[in-house]
Amino acid sequence: MENLKLARMESEDLDEVMAIENSVYTHPWTRPNFVDSLAQHYDAWVVRSVDNVLIGYFVQMLIVDEVHLLTIAVKEKMQGQGIGTYLLKYVIERAGHMQSTAISLEVRVSNLRAIAMYEAVGFLLVGRRKNYYQTRLNHREDALILRYSKQGK
């Protein structure tokens, strides 16, 4: 991971961000979601490969003393190489810089790979939101609420 480059997300990154977003999510964020996040100065970062290709990103926001991870993604062909975990550890580092006491997120109950990654770095299951996500067939899917804190609460 020493060859990866982290940088704040800029509007110039959005074409590459949207290409990843649209390829990995069934119900992706829209470009205006990212534009608004940048305008609101949310903590938004990208990671680039050694050849300067954008391969992942995350957006999180501080709410009082807790960070909420809004979105995180890795380019599909780069998944399974530890880049998501690398980004997630940076999420945790950034939350510390923001004086956050905890990080929370929602994840689809069907996204077993992401759930395993979150749990591997210390996120714990704290709740469930019934019918939170829309599915491709216009049904609904539950979200798990996961939380990370240095105290493990």
Side-chain angles (χ1 to χ4, degrees):
M1 298 298 149
E2 63 276 351
N3 292 331
L4 299 180
K5 298 181 292 185
L6 286 159
R8 288 198 179 274
M9 186 184 293
E10 303 290 342
S11 57
E12 295 80 18
D13 298 317
L14 292 183
D15 287 342
E16 291 172 283
V17 166
M18 290 308 304
I20 294 171
E21 182 77 8
N22 288 321
S23 70
V24 300
Y25 288 116
T26 58
H27 291 81
W29 269 27
T30 64
R31 188 180 196 95
N33 291 135
F34 285 100
V35 169
D36 290 347
S37 294
L38 293 176
Q40 294 296 317
H41 304 289
Y42 290 172
D43 195 46
W45 290 79
V46 297
V47 63
R48 292 183 175 277
S49 65
V50 68
D51 53 350
N52 209 36
V53 174
L54 196 146
I55 57 173
Y57 57 87
F58 70 84
V59 178
Q60 60 185 356
M61 63 184 273
L62 183 64
I63 305 170
V64 186
D65 63 348
E66 184 167 314
V67 165
H68 188 78
L69 181 59
L70 299 169
T71 188
I72 184 170
V74 172
K75 194 173 200 172
E76 195 166 17
K77 72 176 186 175
M78 301 298 291
Q79 292 178 3
Q81 299 179 35
I83 298 163
T85 299
Y86 174 79
L87 277 174
L88 198 51
K89 288 179 179 177
Y90 196 62
V91 163
I92 293 166
E93 182 181 327
R94 291 291 310 148
H97 291 305
M98 294 186 287
Q99 309 301 309
S100 169
T101 60
I103 305 166
S104 63
L105 61 87
E106 292 90 13
V107 60
R108 289 176 184 270
V109 295
S110 64
N111 194 344
L112 302 178
R113 191 178 197 175
I115 294 165
M117 178 184 68
Y118 295 134
E119 289 177 341
V121 298
F123 280 79
L124 301 173
L125 177 64
V126 296
R128 186 180 195 109
R129 297 191 198 283
K130 290 284 191 188
N131 300 316
Y132 185 75
Y133 289 110
Q134 187 174 352
T135 68
R136 286 189 179 169
L137 300 175
N138 214 22
H139 294 98
R140 305 300 291 182
E141 178 178 13
D142 292 354
L144 299 179
I145 305 166
L146 302 178
R147 189 168 191 269
Y148 174 92
S149 73
K150 290 186 179 177
Q151 296 78 26
K153 299 176 190 172

